[in-house]
């Protein structure tokens, strides 16, 4: 079975980053003219996702200032697993390669990377048939790549050049942030780096953590477009939403392009239910993350969708009959 969707994951740390800038979820909802409970979910439609970003830029009043403000305010600890894996890469090149690869899991943006001579060009595109995103989203995507290099290497890296297809507001502010000339009205949204910077090692390199995250991300890539049953499709989608909170059946149904009633009926045919699959997904992911002690139990609880560590403990006892800490120790013998 194959499935496609225009659903877009809302980055877990987005709302916290906006709060640090003095912008609340309600402010975005009012500016965008959208129901607050609809955009507060783990996933939204592509059109609503774009509306969120446009509203953000409008509230700040200048696209460039919105880009710089959020890129610098976004906490590394709030990165989703696909981005966390890039932050803990061996060097800047490894991080960029991982980013372009794992971006496939996070529509609507797509990235391509090309090294030639003494430069490295990273071009921003848009996945599938999704129309081009708003200027602020293009800008924040490229700014986050710059931020990734700076945070990972511990150096204030600068770009060779940056190009945008649209007007970006205060270009001088962007030039100060990227450390180079900014060109607007270009044919592509593109970040050009010095190739020598790609060899800089990451201070945040963590081989053990990558050994945890990489297999799960690679498996997600393998499963991205093709699954054999509705149950597998539901579990795949749920696992992608867990770190953003508790996935809802209506959201998963939309992802699959069907109504809740239809999804429920299809799951009954496979002798299961959404509640069962949610629990199985959390259980499987919890065991995967607990298998390596580089993640503390509080982080595991967050990654499988529990804001309250005690709730995670109760759920885990139900799955395994022991605490997460006891299970982890038992695997060492």
């Amino acid at each position: 079975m194959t499935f496609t969707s225009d659903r877009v994951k809302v980055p877990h740390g987005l709302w916290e980053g906006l709060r640090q800038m003095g912008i609340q979820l309600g402010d975005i909802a009012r500016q965008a003219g959208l129901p607050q409970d609809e955009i507060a979910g783990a996933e939204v439609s592509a059109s609503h996702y774009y509306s969120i970003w446009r509203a953000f830029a409008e509230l700040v009043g200048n696209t460039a200032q919105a880009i710089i403000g959020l890129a610098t305010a976004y906490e590394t600890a709030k990165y989703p697993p696909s981005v966390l894996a890039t932050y803990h890469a061996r060097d800047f090149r490894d991080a960029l390669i991982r980013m372009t690869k794992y971006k496939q899991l996070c529509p609507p943006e797509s990235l391509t990377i090309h090294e030639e001579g003494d430069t490295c060009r990273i071009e921003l595109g848009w996945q599938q048939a999704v129309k081009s995103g708003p200027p602020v989203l293009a800008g924040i995507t490229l700014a986050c790549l710059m931020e990734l290099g700076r945070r990972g290497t511990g150096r204030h890296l600068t770009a060779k050049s940056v190009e945008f297809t649209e007007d970006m507001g205060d270009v001088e502010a962007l030039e100060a942030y990227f450390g180079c000339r900014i060109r607007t009205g270009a044919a592509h949204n593109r970040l050009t780096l010095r190739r020598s910077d790609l060899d800089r090692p990451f201070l945040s390199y963590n081989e053990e953590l990558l050994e945890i995250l990489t297999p799960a991300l690679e498996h997600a890539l393998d499963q991205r477009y093709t699954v054999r049953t509705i149950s597998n499709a539901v579990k795949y989608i749920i696992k992608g939403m867990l770190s953003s909170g508790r996935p809802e059946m209506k959201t998963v149904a939309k992802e699959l392009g069907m109504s809740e009633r239809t999804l429920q009926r299809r799951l009954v045919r496979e002798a299961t239910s959404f509640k069962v699959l949610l629990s199985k997904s959390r259980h499987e992911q919890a065991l995967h993350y607990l298998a390596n002690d580089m993640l503390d139990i509080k982080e595991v609880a967050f990654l499988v969708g529990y804001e309250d560590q005690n709730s995670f403990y109760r759920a885990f006892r139900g799955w395994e009959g022991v605490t997460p800490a006891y299970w982890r120790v038992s695997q060492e013998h």
Side-chain angles (χ1 to χ4, degrees):
M1 182 195 117
T2 60
F3 65 92
T4 58
S5 171
D6 76 337
R7 306 295 293 178
V8 176
K9 293 182 181 180
V10 179
H12 176 74
L14 174 61
W15 301 120
E16 180 58 32
L18 294 183
R19 278 193 290 271
Q20 290 187 30
M21 296 179 66
I23 298 173
Q24 304 299 321
L25 173 61
D27 300 329
I28 294 289
R30 284 189 294 273
Q31 186 69 28
L34 297 172
Q36 182 169 324
D37 60 346
E38 188 167 332
I39 66 172
E43 296 195 353
V44 297
S45 68
S47 62
H48 285 181
Y49 187 67
Y50 287 170
S51 294
I52 290 171
W53 286 103
R54 291 191 189 95
F56 166 50
E58 290 163 1
L59 287 168
V60 174
N62 186 284
T63 299
Q65 296 296 342
I67 292 166
I68 298 167
L70 185 58
T72 54
Y74 208 115
E75 296 181 30
T76 305
K78 301 294 184 180
Y79 287 159
S82 58
V83 180
L84 197 61
T86 69
Y87 178 69
H88 293 293
R90 182 178 298 275
D91 52 34
F92 197 11
R93 176 179 286 103
D94 184 23
L96 290 172
I97 291 172
R98 289 174 183 271
M99 182 68 84
T100 57
K101 186 176 187 180
Y102 299 145
K103 204 72 186 74
Q104 298 174 61
L105 298 171
C106 310
E109 310 98 300
S110 66
L111 297 168
T112 55
I113 183 171
H114 179 68
E115 294 184 51
E116 183 177 8
D118 63 351
T119 65
C120 171
R121 297 193 304 275
I122 306 160
E123 192 168 307
L124 168 66
W126 307 97
Q127 291 188 31
Q128 301 174 359
V130 178
K131 64 182 180 179
S132 297
V136 68
L137 179 54
I140 195 65
T141 302
L142 298 189
C144 283
L145 295 178
M146 194 81 259
E147 202 67 26
L148 173 66
R150 290 171 176 172
R151 296 186 188 190
T153 63
R155 294 171 176 263
H156 188 75
L157 304 181
T158 58
K160 289 195 70 173
S161 66
V162 179
E163 303 162 75
F164 292 111
T165 60
E166 306 291 336
D167 175 54
M168 303 301 286
D170 187 355
V171 171
E172 289 185 359
L174 282 176
E175 289 180 339
Y177 173 78
F178 283 102
C180 66
R181 293 295 300 274
I182 302 292
R183 178 188 171 196
T184 58
H188 306 281
N189 293 301
R190 179 186 293 159
L191 171 66
T192 301
L193 302 170
R194 293 171 182 81
R195 197 173 183 183
S196 58
D197 283 339
L198 272 59
D199 296 319
R200 296 187 184 278
F202 267 24
L203 303 178
S204 49
Y205 173 52
N206 189 324
E207 183 178 7
E208 291 83 2
L209 185 57
L210 289 177
E211 288 178 354
I212 300 172
L213 296 174
T214 301
L217 291 169
E218 293 293 333
H219 180 69
L221 282 172
D222 290 341
Q223 297 293 312
R224 178 70 179 97
Y225 298 108
T226 305
V227 289
R228 295 180 179 178
T229 66
I230 284 291
S231 297
N232 284 342
V234 169
K235 285 175 63 179
Y236 163 74
I237 294 169
I238 287 174
K239 287 179 179 180
M241 296 178 177
L242 285 179
S243 64
S244 298
R246 182 184 177 90
E248 296 183 354
M249 187 173 182
K250 64 180 180 181
T251 307
V252 175
K254 285 183 179 180
E255 176 75 14
L256 292 167
M258 62 182 70
S259 68
E260 285 186 71
R261 178 173 292 184
T262 298
L263 175 56
Q264 190 172 27
R265 186 168 60 249
R266 297 281 295 275
L267 292 177
V268 168
R269 290 177 187 171
E270 295 181 8
T272 188
S273 68
F274 183 80
K275 183 177 180 180
V276 168
L277 295 176
L278 174 59
S279 180
K280 284 184 177 180
S281 298
R282 283 176 153 172
H283 186 188
E284 290 172 9
Q285 291 297 87
L287 295 181
H288 172 76
Y289 289 128
L290 284 168
N292 191 301
D293 60 9
M294 291 303 297
L295 287 173
D296 64 38
I297 294 175
K298 183 177 181 180
E299 290 174 317
V300 174
F302 162 74
L303 287 171
V304 297
Y306 289 94
E307 293 185 3
D308 177 9
Q309 191 173 339
N310 290 331
S311 297
F312 173 60
Y313 269 76
R314 287 193 294 273
F316 196 87
R317 277 186 175 276
W319 296 327
E320 295 291 327
V322 296
T323 66
Y326 185 91
W327 184 90
R328 172 175 273 171
V329 171
S330 71
Q331 302 306 300
E332 299 174 357
H333 302 288

